[in-house]
Amino acid sequence: MNMNSVKSMTENCPIARWRRKKEARPTEILDAALGLFVEKGYRATKMEDIARAAGVTKGTPYLYFQNKEEIFKAIARGTIVANLQQLDQIARDFDGSASVLLHRMVEQWWQQVGSAQSAGLCKLMIAEAANFPELAQFYFDEVIAPSNQMLSMVLQRGIDSGEFRAVPLVHTVDALLAPLLTTMIFSHSFGQLPGCCIGSTKDPLGFLKDALDLVLHGLKNN
């Protein structure tokens, strides 16, 4: 018997398939939970709903996650937070102008965050933050605050180099983030309805680029 035959028999045996299935369960649970959070909201999603959507028994999610809050955190860290960390590294390594960097960051953000299913977590947090203050604090600490710090760093770099005029960083960061937030919120609300599309939902990336150009023309040190 050759090695390929042995490998085939090993991979197809019931025990091997069970082990592969067990290793995949946390990911399956997180994927199922993300879909439910985006569709139903945080409060309306129950642990048993997540188990049912993942195709596992009611108690299985508790083998990997303490509660629904831990599932939410794991999803956010594996999607939005991880992508923000990549963007932050891009910003720190970039050696060109701040304007070019902002354009690159917007495109990267849309491709990895804004167009992903996990973007629906933004609408969820805005709707339910007041009802779940501990979860809101987590989202603020690991998503909102790092985003603000990252953009502040890029703006300050542009100001220091003379590319941008001196502007209040806090307010300018909000002006840069507003179109991103609007795009995510509309994409997961009115954008789901064919008769309610607007510019930001018909051409999200085009809208984001135009919005950035508007801000940049106000930033330029002419």
Side-chain angles (χ1 to χ4, degrees), residues 167-183:
V167 293
L169 290 181
V170 174
H171 294 165
T172 309
V173 165
D174 285 346
L176 288 169
L177 286 174
L180 306 180
L181 295 174
T182 299
T183 304

Side-chain angles (χ1 to χ4, degrees), residues 15-108:
I15 293 177
R17 289 199 302 271
W18 179 83
R19 285 175 178 166
R20 289 200 303 274
K21 180 68 174 177
K22 185 177 181 181
E23 291 172 356
R25 279 175 189 158
T27 300
E28 293 172 350
I29 291 168
L30 294 177
D31 288 345
L34 174 58
L36 290 171
F37 286 151
V38 171
E39 178 186 354
K40 301 173 61 176
Y42 184 79
R43 180 189 292 276
T45 299
K46 310 300 181 185
M47 286 293 277
E48 52 264 37
D49 298 331
I50 296 172
R52 188 181 307 110
V56 298
T57 62
K58 286 184 179 181
T60 300
Y62 292 102
L63 298 176
Y64 305 95
F65 306 98
Q66 184 177 358
N67 49 40
K68 184 171 67 171
E69 182 176 334
E70 291 304 311
I71 290 178
F72 181 92
K73 290 180 179 180
I75 292 171
R77 285 172 174 153
T79 56
I80 299 175
V81 174
N83 285 316
L84 286 175
Q85 290 171 346
Q86 290 181 10
L87 277 174
D88 184 71
Q89 194 59 52
I90 288 173
R92 293 181 186 280
D93 295 340
F94 192 78
D95 197 28
S97 74
S99 297
V100 172
L101 174 56
L102 285 173
H103 273 287
R104 180 175 175 183
M105 291 174 71
V106 163
E107 290 188 19
Q108 184 97 355

Side-chain angles (χ1 to χ4, degrees), residues 110-176:
W110 174 251
Q111 292 169 0
Q112 297 188 357
V113 181
S115 62
Q117 186 182 29
S118 55
L121 298 182
C122 172
K123 180 173 77 74
L124 179 155
M125 287 308 309
I126 290 174
E128 304 195 55
N131 297 322
F132 301 95
E134 292 184 3
L135 199 65
Q137 188 65 54
F138 156 79
Y139 195 84
F140 180 87
D141 292 341
E142 299 205 18
V143 176
I144 297 175
S147 299
N148 291 350
Q149 291 168 5
M150 176 173 58
L151 285 174
S152 293
M153 176 187 70
V154 176
L155 290 172
Q156 190 62 58
R157 183 188 303 180
I159 294 171
D160 293 342
S161 69
E163 180 183 358
F164 297 157
R165 62 185 176 85
V167 293
L169 290 181
V170 174
H171 294 165
T172 309
V173 165
D174 285 346
L176 288 169

